[in-house]
Amino acid sequence: MTTETSSLLTSIGDHMIGAMTFDLGRYLIAAGALSLILWFAKQYTEARRIQKRKASFADYKREFLSSMRTVLIFAVTTISTVLFIETGWVNIDRGAINWPIFAVQLAAMIVAHDAYFYWMHRALHHKSLFRMAHLHHHKSRTPTPWAAYSFASFEAFSEAAFVPAYLLLVSTIGAPMYDFAIFIFLAHMIIRNVMGHAGIELFPAGWTRIPLGWITTTTHHDLHHSQGNSNFGLYFTWWDRWMGTEHPQYQERFDAVAKPIRVSVGAAANISIAAFAGLALTSTITLV
């Protein structure tokens, strides 16, 4: 083995460990932080439970173990992105941040991912792919935050493919991304993902009727898990509305569970402590 080959393998191994640590960390911290908050607040959030059925220990176990496989697959895909960067196929801007440009880059990546996810998700529901690629995720009929990474291998690769594909595209047209914009995108993605699988409605009453109502709620994705033939969007309701795939009773179901929560001062303090701990943990993984 040549010195160059040995050095390359060592570099890939180091990147692999770093990628696995990052993907495992953001999954454990985001899912764990939200689970902690919901556990502290369970006396008050139970009225916002979307389904009467509760996930079993077997559900939690399956979601967690299959998520470990997803972490490995995500890490392999991250290595491909690193190699694209090192070979110059993908251009990353590590210079001083122009914040307006940063905001545009981040928003564009989120909007593009939402479109990618919608059409990929619908494709996975096609009868030729569903059993092989997507049935495993739908075993979480009553999802928990730990279902955020619970994918079959094919779906995990499909999910992970967006980032390198998007970076290749923007580099081709001469628009290098800030590395911090990519980082925040990844943090946003896992946070929104665990929120969608929370099983408890996290958005305030009346959300679907305000100007920001096109941002998906927990009920939106929960209906997809419980019924499976509607609500394919991830961050926004746009594509479901445009393509006629939004659940016809979405607003009604949301209103039924998005009830005001009244707590005592002491209980509010405990919930605030849990929320602070959860946010601190999430911020830690964002900054590390």
Side-chain angles (χ1 to χ4, degrees), residues 11-12 51-52 57 60 82 87 91 96 126 148 150 160 178 188 190 193 195 220 227 234 237 240 246 249 254 256 264:
S11 177
I12 291 175
Q51 299 183 36
K52 292 182 179 180
F57 175 77
Y60 281 96
V82 171
T87 56
N91 297 317
H126 190 275
S150 184
Y178 287 119
H188 167 267
I190 186 61
N193 206 345
M195 288 175 65
H220 189 274
Q227 303 196 17
L234 180 58
T237 61
D240 281 308
E246 186 170 80
Q249 296 180 330
F254 173 81
S264 64

Side-chain angles (χ1 to χ4, degrees), residues 59-76:
D59 292 322
Y60 281 96
K61 180 179 178 181
R62 182 192 65 257
E63 290 171 353
F64 181 80
L65 292 178
S66 61
S67 293
M68 296 304 98
R69 176 180 60 214
T70 296
V71 166
L72 176 61
I73 292 171
F74 278 14
V76 171

